[in-house]
Amino acid sequence: MSLYGLAEVKPYRVLLVISDQWKDPRSFLVSGGGEFQTMVTLFKSWGIPFDILRLDQTIMDPSHFADFGGKPRYGAIIWDAFGEISDSDGTLIRDAVERLHISLVAVGNRVQQPEIQRLLGIRYKAEHMHSSHPTGDGQSFILRGLPVDLHERGPAAVAMRRVQVDLVEAHALATAAGMPQITTRELADDTRAIWIGGDVDQMLLYQPIRTALRRAITEAIGYSLVKTWTHDIVLTMDDLGNAQNSWLEHWHYPALSQDQIRRYLIEPLKAHHAVLSINTVPGFVDDEKRRIVPTWQQQFTDGFGTRQDYVSTKKGLDEGIAAGVFEIESHGWTHMQPDLSSEPGPWWGTPLDGERAEMGWYREFYDVRRNREIPAAEQKFHMEKSAEWLQQEFDIVPLEFSTGGNGVSRSPDNNTWRLAAEAGYGYYGGYLGKDLAVEGRADSNADFGGTDDVPLLLPAPPDGHDRGIAHDPAGFANVFEKYPDYQFIGLDEYIGYQHAALKSLPSGDGMKLTVDYDPHYCRALVAKPSTWDFHLSDWLRAKVKGKGIWVDGKKTSVAQDEWTAISFSPGAHHTLEVR
Ligand SMILES: [Zn+2]
């Protein structure tokens, strides 16, 4: 029997339950890789709101699952916890699923607790190495549109761990050499218990499995409002304003001129409606004054006899910003070691073929010259000065942070990602926010970049630096021939989507979602139109068919298709209703 009414549409939020995978005891920095970091990255990139329940520090409580009024807080629990749970915890999970109708999605071998097996309708047996791939028939909602071989599009592996289960009350949607690998059980007409099996350390490296996880969440909740990034590229270019080109012999070249920037960057970008995110350096080492001075006021002939005109560079950058094709991001404050004076220096005033030729001096957030970390307070000062000086120069607060030469500090106290998040940056190869920070890749690309799940962060040809343009000016525009079917979005746009606050509200006779854009992190989506994909499961679609889809109070379409594109006009607050 179902008392299902639209008023009971599930909350658009999931609870990710883990054991001790979150290595930071302060629950802020997500690092070290593994399926936990992957799921955090995916949920931020897809736009699926989530909370994390870490069982290594928390006593499970009914209020983890129910709100003040006793209603479910989540549409689904994502179960990524291993090890035993107590009988009373088992009861809490059972009540959350069976009484509150919160669906359950478990991954990999995280199914060893008897209560989790009972809810999933499977019995865990063992796991052993095996060469088979999981294969599906594509008939189910969860696997619809996916290839038969669910290990297509991912690393080649001779074998990996295969979890073995017996079906009790579930049925299999995918198998590996005859053994169930993806299963589902219908607990009520609006509640599902889904298991996505596989080697938990590797399964999410495969595109079809990642997509199956996203679709399983839609099936579990009934709907989702998500982003995917299949044909999106974020072009990045490092180093405008840096001092290496004036002082480091093997990285020597003239700073780009306004004319070069206009002809070889702005014009091709405009012609392809593309955006370039430029990692800029607003502080310059003044060798005479022995202090940091504003980069964009420097005009001089360097020690190699090359004319350096950073004033002209700045004019070019301003022109690109005005044309809407440049985004200014932070590449640190100076691209230089904070301590340019002590042993084995000084760097100041030394000959070009002496200490000055050592690359280690030109790294800001790890002391490469002395092989030690940069202390937290020093890093923080440089991060804040970068943002402050860029704002002085361009009237833009940078949202992305990236270090010169990938020089980063990783210890808990000095961690560069955590410090950048605290300084207000929104991305550094991974999500940075006030809630948590993901230690992404330092090379400016991102985990899963260039898949359906994360845009491709592409260092702009020819070499990802202004240096490449100085040597081969025409080399940049080739990117548009190489990637003809892509759109070149800005990094600020991607940061905006990751920071969007999506929330479902109780709504009398329908469903209502609010989408709020923070004025700092999401400014690109406040200023421009934004788009999302509204995804309906088959079971909820049958219930809402024919109802109106209302965007910001206007009826724009009727619920009938699995996917509906949702377009929001510029602005900070939006609503999506089905009624
Ligand atoms: Zn650099």
Side-chain angles (χ1 to χ4, degrees):
M1 186 190 72
S2 171
L3 296 175
Y4 196 95
L6 270 179
E8 296 164 58
V9 165
K10 289 188 195 307
Y12 188 44
R13 194 166 192 85
V14 302
L15 180 67
L16 176 54
V17 184
I18 57 170
S19 301
D20 64 359
Q21 293 100 313
W22 203 342
K23 299 304 173 201
D24 181 358
R26 288 171 240 165
S27 300
F28 189 74
L29 184 72
V30 178
S31 65
E35 87 293 342
F36 167 59
Q37 179 169 342
T38 296
M39 283 198 278
V40 169
T41 296
L42 293 176
F43 294 168
K44 287 292 185 191
S45 199
W46 291 336
I48 293 179
F50 65 99
D51 292 319
I52 299 165
L53 173 59
R54 55 184 302 171
L55 298 179
D56 63 336
Q57 285 193 3
T58 322
I59 300 159
M60 211 185 278
D61 188 280
S63 289
H64 282 125
F65 307 103
D67 67 12
F68 178 75
K71 298 239 186 231
R73 290 178 66 190
Y74 300 100
I77 295 164
I78 313 299
W79 188 260
D80 183 25
F82 47 81
E84 286 181 22
I85 56 171
S86 66
D87 289 349
S88 59
D89 284 359
T91 305
L92 286 176
I93 296 283
R94 184 169 70 229
D95 284 355
V97 175
E98 291 183 345
R99 296 166 65 126
L100 293 173
H101 285 213
I102 301 176
S103 289
L104 176 68
V105 179
V107 296
N109 62 357
R110 312 310 200 201
V111 293
Q112 301 187 21
Q113 305 85 359
E115 187 56 46
I116 296 298
Q117 292 173 39
R118 201 189 65 74
L119 290 167
L120 292 169
I122 59 175
R123 185 175 299 116
Y124 174 86
K125 293 194 295 188
E127 62 178 308
H128 295 290
M129 294 298 286
H130 205 265
S131 65
S132 58
H133 291 189
T135 56
D137 61 8
Q139 296 303 303
S140 63
F141 175 83
I142 292 171
L143 301 183
R144 187 175 295 158
L146 295 178
V148 171
D149 180 353
L150 297 171
H151 278 185
E152 260 188 41
R153 294 175 66 196
V158 173
M160 62 183 72
R161 300 190 80 76
R162 180 181 59 166
V163 180
Q164 303 179 3
V165 305
D166 284 331
L167 299 177
V168 181
E169 286 183 80
H171 69 272
L173 307 179
T175 56
M179 287 190 176
Q181 287 299 295
I182 297 180
T183 67
T184 185
R185 178 185 172 213
E186 193 173 317
L187 289 132
D189 67 350
D190 68 339
T191 313
R192 300 287 181 275
I194 299 162
W195 174 56
I196 301 181
D199 184 327
V200 78
D201 294 327
Q202 300 184 64
M203 54 190 278
L204 293 172
L205 301 177
Y206 296 89
Q207 179 69 64
I209 301 291
R210 293 196 297 275
T211 303
L213 173 63
R214 177 167 49 73
R215 295 186 66 96
I217 292 170
T218 305
E219 169 76 4
I221 301 176
Y223 64 93
S224 60
L225 185 65
V226 291
K227 291 299 292 184
T228 51
W229 306 95
T230 313
H231 291 287
D232 293 302
I233 287 179
V234 175
L235 279 174
T236 66
M237 180 176 286
D238 281 0
D239 275 2
L240 278 92
N242 86 103
Q244 294 167 101
N245 58 317
S246 299
W247 299 115
L248 178 61
E249 188 275 332
H250 69 266
W251 199 260
H252 175 254
Y253 54 93
L256 299 186
S257 69
Q258 179 181 17
D259 182 58
Q260 282 177 312
I261 291 172
R262 180 188 300 139
R263 282 168 60 191
Y264 300 114
L265 296 176
I266 295 173
E267 285 175 9
L269 286 163
K270 272 166 81 174
H272 294 90
H273 309 287
V275 174
L276 175 65
S277 292
I278 303 183
N279 293 320
T280 44
V281 185
F284 196 84
V285 277
D286 186 316
D287 207 34
E288 268 172 41
K289 295 183 190 144
R290 301 207 170 188
R291 62 190 291 180
I292 307 304
V293 297
T295 299
W296 314 107
Q297 299 169 12
Q298 307 309 308
Q299 287 171 309
F300 62 98
T301 299
D302 68 23
F304 302 97
T306 301
R307 184 74 189 151
Q308 300 287 0
D309 186 353
Y310 293 86
V311 174
S312 179
T313 308
K314 171 67 162 54
K315 285 182 186 157
L317 292 175
D318 286 339
E319 201 175 312
I321 294 165
V325 298
F326 285 172
E327 282 177 346
I328 297 298
E329 309 289 2
S330 168
H331 199 33
W333 182 34
T334 62
H335 214 298
M336 299 292 289
Q337 168 53 234
D339 175 4
L340 294 169
S341 302
S342 62
E343 284 288 309
W347 175 89
W348 299 112
T350 51
L352 289 170
D353 54 3
E355 278 299 321
R356 219 156 264 228
E358 289 294 337
M359 189 200 64
W361 293 109
Y362 306 86
R363 301 291 180 266
E364 191 173 356
F365 296 92
Y366 181 85
D367 187 343
V368 174
R369 188 71 189 102
R370 303 178 184 90
N371 193 25
R372 63 188 186 205
E373 293 194 334
I374 306 287
E378 186 73 64
Q379 290 190 59
K380 195 172 175 217
F381 175 66
H382 280 240
M383 289 169 180
E384 288 171 354
K385 285 297 121 185
S386 177
E388 185 188 315
W389 285 29
L390 287 172
Q391 192 179 9
Q392 290 287 325
E393 302 270 20
F394 298 102
D395 200 23
I396 291 167
V397 178
L399 288 176
E400 188 243 12
F401 177 77
S402 76
T403 61
N406 304 330
V408 291
S409 299
R410 289 181 189 267
S411 71
D413 285 343
N414 300 326
N415 186 279
T416 302
W417 283 267
R418 175 175 64 79
L419 294 165
E422 288 172 0
Y425 292 98
Y427 191 81
Y428 175 26
Y431 171 91
L432 305 178
K434 296 298 173 201
D435 51 343
L436 57 86
V438 177
E439 189 180 295
R441 285 167 50 179
D443 64 359
S444 91
N445 212 324
D447 290 334
F448 305 108
T451 70
D452 294 354
D453 308 306
V454 174
L456 177 61
L457 268 70
L458 184 69
D463 73 347
H465 297 80
D466 56 352
R467 176 176 178 270
I469 306 300
H471 293 319
D472 174 16
F476 169 70
N478 295 336
V479 72
F480 301 112
E481 284 153 44
K482 205 170 162 202
Y483 297 95
D485 302 325
Y486 283 75
Q487 56 169 342
F488 294 82
I489 65 168
L491 193 46
D492 288 355
E493 197 178 320
Y494 180 50
I495 293 169
Y497 282 109
Q498 290 185 88
H499 282 265
L502 279 63
K503 202 170 158 187
S504 53
L505 298 177
S507 170
D509 63 341
M511 60 187 287
K512 181 171 185 178
L513 284 168
T514 56
V515 177
D516 286 292
Y517 296 142
D518 179 270
H520 170 65
Y521 294 111
C522 310
R523 65 173 183 234
L525 307 183
V526 176
K528 289 194 293 191
S530 55
T531 60
W532 294 83
D533 290 313
F534 182 52
H535 195 197
L536 275 169
S537 68
D538 291 347
W539 64 264
L540 186 59
R541 185 151 58 118
K543 291 174 196 288
V544 301
K545 206 162 193 159
K547 290 187 180 288
I549 294 179
W550 299 66
V551 175
D552 288 341
K554 289 193 202 81
K555 188 174 173 184
T556 53
S557 57
V558 169
Q560 56 182 29
D561 297 329
E562 185 183 323
W563 291 97
T564 304
I566 304 296
S567 300
F568 294 128
S569 305
H573 176 74
H574 301 282
T575 58
L576 169 64
E577 293 162 278
V578 180
R579 56 181 159 97

